Amino acid sequence: QVQLVESGGGLVQAGGSLRLSCAASGRTFSRFPMGWFRQAPGKEREFVASISWSGGITDYADSVKGRFTISRDGAKNTVYLQMNALKPEETAVYYCAATRSGYGGHHVYEYDYWGQGTQVTVSS
C-alpha cells in the first residue's frame, strides 16, 4: 500500500512560481512511476507530468512544457513539481498519483494511488 501526501500549494501571482511536494509512504515507492494531475472547478482531472521509477524519463502535458519540472528523491520518498511562470487558468487542486504499471501515462485510470490534493491559486 502507498500513501501520498501533497504540500506546497498556495496563492501566487501570475508569472510566479511554486514547488509542490508529494511525500510517499511504503517501501515500494521507488518502484512506482509517479504523476501529477490537476483539477479545476467544473472540469475533469487532467494530466500535468509524470516521471519513471528511476527518474530518468519524464513526460509533460504540452501546456506546461518548458515551465514545469517533475523530479523525485528516492532517499526522501518524495516527488516534486516545480512550477514557473504560472497562469491564472492553472488555478486548480493538484494531485500526485502512483501507478503499479511500468509507465506513468496521461490518464487517471492508469494510476492506482492518489493523494488528497493541494490547492494552487494563481491571481491575475
Side-chain angles (χ1 to χ4, degrees), residues 24-32 34 72-74 77-79:
S25 64
R27 297 171 60 185
T28 57
F29 164 76
S30 62
R31 303 179 187 176
F32 294 152
M34 301 288 293
R72 67 191 299 163
D73 184 335
N77 275 8
T78 301
V79 174

Side-chain angles (χ1 to χ4, degrees), residues 101-116:
S101 71
Y103 173 71
H106 289 208
H107 303 287
V108 169
Y109 64 78
E110 295 179 278
Y111 292 79
D112 303 288
Y113 306 102
W114 292 85
Q116 83 290 347

Side-chain angles (χ1 to χ4, degrees), residues 10 17 20 30 32 48 50-51 62-63 65 72 76 94-95:
S17 299
L20 305 183
S30 62
F32 294 152
V48 175
S50 66
I51 188 166
D62 288 343
S63 60
K65 283 181 180 176
R72 67 191 299 163
K76 296 182 178 180
Y94 283 70
Y95 298 89

